[in-house]
Amino acid sequence: MTSRPPLPPFDRESALKKVRAAEDAWNTRDPEHVALAYTEDTVWRNRDTFLTGRAEVTAFLREKWSRELDYALRKELWSFQDDRIAVRFQYEFHDAAGQWWRSYGNELWEFTGEGLMRRREASINDVRISEAERRIFGPRPAEEAQSLIPVR
């Protein structure tokens, strides 16, 4: 099995690195790349969708990013303990009609000893925004890269 450092048990520094790695990966919008962070038999709940396995996750992400155009994400460490991390996040995107959205959510993550995510539970709410209300423009700027500045 492939190792995906940092590995549990997490301390603050390693949990922050794990969150940042997830944010960076998701901002690539590359389903195959993102899915490599999950176990082959990963279990997900994303809103009202339940997935099992890396192949289902890859298909889900492919479809998600075909609908959620110009997707840009920010994650913030909320809590951590042993092999688990909790994050809150926001992301913005527009749909095919040009309507912008901001999605707010929380995720609970559980990892294997090799650092792969075996479980992800996500609760997400969407809010319509105007283009003028946007505040997330692509991946996190370099000046924020080291700090994981909290989302507002």
Side-chain angles (χ1 to χ4, degrees), residues 49 70 94:
T49 301
D70 294 319
H94 67 86

Side-chain angles (χ1 to χ4, degrees), residues 1-19:
M1 178 177 283
T2 304
S3 178
R4 292 291 278 221
L7 308 177
F10 297 111
D11 59 18
R12 181 163 179 74
E13 181 180 345
S14 61
L16 283 167
K17 285 181 181 177
K18 200 66 144 176
V19 172

Side-chain angles (χ1 to χ4, degrees), residues 15 20 33 36 41 47-48 51 54 57-58 61 63 66 72 80 85 88-90 92 94 106 115-116 124 130 134:
R20 181 56 203 259
H33 172 70
L36 292 175
D41 62 350
R47 302 175 192 249
D48 61 351
L51 307 168
R54 192 183 287 164
V57 167
T58 302
L61 293 173
E63 195 277 328
S66 73
F80 64 92
I85 295 175
R88 68 180 192 149
F89 62 88
Q90 294 179 26
E92 295 176 351
H94 67 86
N106 300 296
L116 295 171
I124 308 168
S130 69
R134 290 182 60 208

Side-chain angles (χ1 to χ4, degrees), residues 67-71 92-101:
R67 285 183 289 103
E68 296 180 357
L69 307 174
D70 294 319
Y71 173 99
E92 295 176 351
F93 67 94
H94 67 86
D95 59 27
Q99 174 62 57
W100 282 93
W101 298 88

Side-chain angles (χ1 to χ4, degrees), residues 23-109:
E23 178 184 301
D24 289 348
W26 279 65
N27 276 322
T28 69
R29 293 175 270 173
D30 179 342
E32 288 75 18
H33 172 70
V34 171
L36 292 175
Y38 304 95
T39 61
E40 288 288 342
D41 62 350
T42 192
V43 176
W44 273 34
R45 180 185 61 77
N46 193 88
R47 302 175 192 249
D48 61 351
T49 301
F50 296 83
L51 307 168
T52 302
R54 192 183 287 164
E56 285 186 18
V57 167
T58 302
F60 172 86
L61 293 173
R62 190 175 295 116
E63 195 277 328
K64 170 188 177 63
W65 289 321
S66 73
R67 285 183 289 103
E68 296 180 357
L69 307 174
D70 294 319
Y71 173 99
L73 167 73
R74 295 292 183 273
K75 290 186 183 283
E76 178 185 0
L77 176 64
W78 190 260
S79 184
F80 64 92
Q81 182 177 357
D82 301 325
D83 63 350
R84 295 179 180 186
I85 295 175
V87 299
R88 68 180 192 149
F89 62 88
Q90 294 179 26
Y91 63 87
E92 295 176 351
F93 67 94
H94 67 86
D95 59 27
Q99 174 62 57
W100 282 93
W101 298 88
R102 183 175 304 122
S103 299
Y104 296 90
N106 300 296
E107 292 176 317
L108 304 175
W109 301 342

